[in-house]
Amino acid sequence: MNTLAFEKYESEVRSYCRHFPTVFTKSKGAFFFDEDGNKYIDFFCGAGAVNYGHNNDYIKEKVLDYIANDGITHSLDMYTTAKRDFIEYFEEKVLKPRDLDYKIMFPGPTGTNAVEAALKLARKYTKRRTVWALMGAFHGMTLGALALTTDKASRRGAGVPLDSNVVHIPAPYMFPELDTIKYMETLLTDDHSGVEKPAAFVIETIQAEGGIQVFDVEWLKRVREFCTKHEILLIVDDIQVGCARSGTFFSFERAGIKPDIFTLSKSIGGYGFPLALTLFKPELDVFTPGEHNGTFRGNQIAFITAKAGLEYMLSHNIEAETRRKGEIEKEFIEKEILPLDSRIKMRGIGLIWGIDFSEIPVKGFADKVQDYAFAHKLIIEGAGRKNAVLKTMPPLIIEDETLLEGLGILRDAIKEVLKEENK
Ligand SMILES: Cc1ncc(COP(=O)(O)O)c(C=O)c1O
């Protein structure tokens, strides 16, 4: 394993490679391969960017064809057949059947770009300055999105104050005795709250980086009602838990709610190519031409893979399969992992499950489990406060057998670390 080039020339900002210290060469389905010939089960899934598997053959064929035929690779936001085909398919097969009437905007290619566009639009439309977000949120690393993101380590890098345009609301799991909706009502109605009416309330329906916190349907419905009542725009960030991860294509479907604005990225690109979408109700479309411009808005190759990804998702029943595999995983965790120690907790839905070690008073417990798992060829990443939660997020196409094998490695890793700690 030769990592000299990275260590010598790549910035200290590099991150995931520190947890997974090898040099990867290939990937397929739910597996990664490194240059030393090792095969790893992937429970990280590019942070949710390759839900349909690494190098999915169906999608690969489409993109190879497109490139072989000199399909356009770059065209700013000019009209192309690739973009038209994607828009029409997405509209017909995904939005319409769910009765979702939205305009689609292609901001820059990453998730944080989609969030920035959503914030800009919400502020422009409402002519209000502040935005509310939840504690525990992760929405990206550029300044606007970072102002919503709450973890200290990320915010520290900003170098400027982030708090002048954002108010953070406690997430409902933080103080179970606090009715967060009533709290927000009070912020608006109490003439001594000191808080002004926001342009928007931004939420994830499942906080992924926040430690796999799944918000219940009742709470989500009340959030929708609250926002409607006060004419505050509801923005749902579906960048990580969208694209069928939660068992329905959009994570907000389970609550039967419709956001005013929502964001998609990661797996909407289908094949790991960067693509981001900001979607909003047609009446919110107050941008003037070029007002949120950019060179890489709507990656043409990603339009091909995005459409192919949706075709694959629909023809392979990925939503139902995700729910079915999620049950397998839930049962495994309940039967094989929770009994290892009463302080271990689990949370999740679909194929995103968190194993929470925060009640175990050993510094870096989850990191040790992660390291052991990696040494035994499982790639899994941490999340949540103090990084005390391990997030299992395999590609949705993972075979049952591989899912169970990966979970077995995770169980053995936890067992081993518990044994070490109890020595
Ligand atoms: C919910 C959510 N929003 C936004 C982002 C930012 O996306 P990107 O890293 O592509 O900028 C992420 C990334 O993990 C995310 O999970």
Side-chain angles (χ1 to χ4, degrees):
M1 173 176 69
N2 176 358
T3 55
L4 217 66
F6 313 111
E7 281 145 19
K8 190 159 179 212
Y9 299 112
E10 192 181 354
S11 160
E12 289 305 311
V13 79
R14 62 193 191 277
S15 153
Y16 301 113
C17 53
R18 298 174 192 275
H19 296 294
F20 312 118
T22 189
V23 183
F24 296 102
T25 51
K26 288 178 90 162
S27 56
K28 190 76 190 166
F31 298 103
F32 264 113
F33 302 86
D34 71 13
E35 64 181 357
D36 299 324
N38 296 303
K39 179 178 181 182
Y40 300 81
I41 297 175
D42 182 13
F43 270 20
F44 187 24
C45 195
V50 279
N51 282 2
Y52 314 131
H54 294 278
N55 289 301
N56 179 303
D57 285 327
Y58 177 80
I59 308 174
K60 182 162 73 179
E61 201 177 309
K62 300 275 179 189
V63 74
L64 288 177
D65 258 14
Y66 182 77
I67 292 171
N69 285 301
D70 289 338
I72 290 167
T73 301
H74 188 270
S75 66
L76 297 157
D77 71 356
M78 289 188 273
Y79 295 153
T80 62
T81 49
K83 177 149 78 171
R84 184 175 60 204
D85 289 351
F86 168 74
I87 292 176
E88 286 177 355
Y89 195 83
F90 187 59
E91 182 66 34
E92 285 303 315
K93 303 289 184 182
V94 178
L95 294 180
K96 268 206 186 127
R98 291 167 176 78
D99 195 27
L100 297 172
D101 182 16
Y102 289 80
K103 285 294 247 344
I104 305 172
M105 168 178 180
F106 301 103
T110 68
T112 199
N113 300 139
V115 174
E116 295 290 346
L119 294 176
K120 197 187 265 188
L121 184 67
R123 287 182 168 123
K124 176 164 187 190
Y125 180 81
T126 61
K127 301 190 177 58
R128 290 177 219 138
R129 182 179 60 95
T130 59
V131 166
W132 291 359
L134 284 175
M135 296 178 191
F138 187 88
H139 295 290
M141 289 288 211
T142 48
L143 283 183
L146 188 57
L148 309 173
T149 294
T150 52
D151 78 276
K152 263 193 187 151
S154 301
R155 293 173 71 85
R156 209 177 285 137
V160 292
L162 292 171
D163 47 9
S164 57
N165 296 314
V166 175
V167 171
H168 282 102
I169 306 295
Y173 56 85
M174 292 171 67
F175 302 99
E177 69 285 1
L178 174 73
D179 182 336
T180 44
I181 310 292
K182 268 197 187 155
Y183 173 79
M184 293 192 293
E185 284 278 352
T186 306
L187 292 184
L188 294 179
T189 53
D190 179 0
D191 63 0
H192 277 53
S193 77
V195 174
E196 59 190 71
K197 184 165 166 169
F201 183 32
V202 188
I203 61 167
E204 300 150 272
T205 68
I206 301 152
Q207 285 187 341
E209 299 306 303
I212 328 302
Q213 300 286 354
V214 183
F215 297 139
D216 74 48
V217 161
E218 258 336 284
W219 187 82
L220 291 169
K221 282 184 197 295
R222 288 183 67 209
V223 166
R224 177 63 277 183
E225 280 163 19
F226 166 81
C227 287
T228 305
K229 177 176 161 194
H230 294 286
E231 295 180 325
I232 294 166
L233 299 175
L234 174 61
I235 302 178
V236 171
D237 179 347
D238 230 9
I239 286 167
Q240 185 156 166
V241 296
C243 298
R245 173 62 55 186
S246 72
T248 51
F249 191 78
F250 300 115
S251 74
F252 48 83
E253 287 178 61
R254 78 189 154 94
I257 60 167
K258 290 179 186 170
D260 298 300
I261 303 177
F262 66 98
T263 54
L264 285 177
S265 184
K266 297 196 190 266
S267 279
I268 193 66
Y271 199 69
F273 287 134
L275 183 66
L277 275 59
T278 306
L279 297 108
F280 34 86
K281 294 194 169 156
E283 62 272 23
L284 302 184
D285 195 4
V286 293
F287 276 136
T288 54
E291 196 174 13
H292 192 77
N293 223 338
T295 308
F296 292 105
R297 291 182 305 115
N299 180 320
Q300 300 298 311
I301 306 280
F303 284 137
I304 300 298
T305 52
K307 175 170 179 264
L310 294 176
E311 287 166 350
Y312 184 88
M313 187 269 305
L314 291 170
S315 62
H316 287 73
N317 245 335
I318 295 286
E319 293 165 288
E321 275 293 282
T322 299
R323 296 193 291 273
R324 183 187 67 76
K325 292 174 195 174
E327 284 304 310
I328 296 177
E329 174 160 1
K330 179 169 181 266
E331 194 181 322
F332 185 98
I333 299 171
E334 280 169 350
K335 287 200 177 138
E336 301 268 341
I337 292 182
L338 295 189
L340 298 175
D341 191 298
S342 62
R343 296 168 297 180
I344 300 175
K345 302 286 181 275
M346 69 187 280
R347 292 182 295 274
I349 187 169
L351 267 177
I352 178 164
W353 287 87
I355 318 284
D356 187 340
F357 302 104
S358 54
E359 287 183 22
I360 300 180
V362 174
K363 197 165 175 268
F365 187 94
D367 295 334
K368 290 178 189 176
V369 175
Q370 183 186 24
D371 290 347
Y372 181 100
F374 182 68
H376 291 78
K377 312 293 178 279
L378 175 71
I379 295 174
I380 185 168
E381 182 53 323
R385 271 87 172 168
K386 299 194 167 66
N387 226 26
V389 179
L390 286 182
K391 176 174 73 170
T392 70
M393 198 163 64
L396 306 179
I397 51 76
I398 193 168
E399 303 279 348
D400 293 4
E401 200 187 354
T402 312
L403 177 63
L404 289 168
E405 191 186 336
L407 288 167
I409 298 172
L410 180 58
R411 174 204 51 214
D412 295 346
I414 298 168
K415 249 191 206 169
E416 199 53 37
V417 177
L418 281 170
K419 214 192 307 170
E420 284 295 310
E421 295 308 324
N422 291 330
K423 258 186 193 163

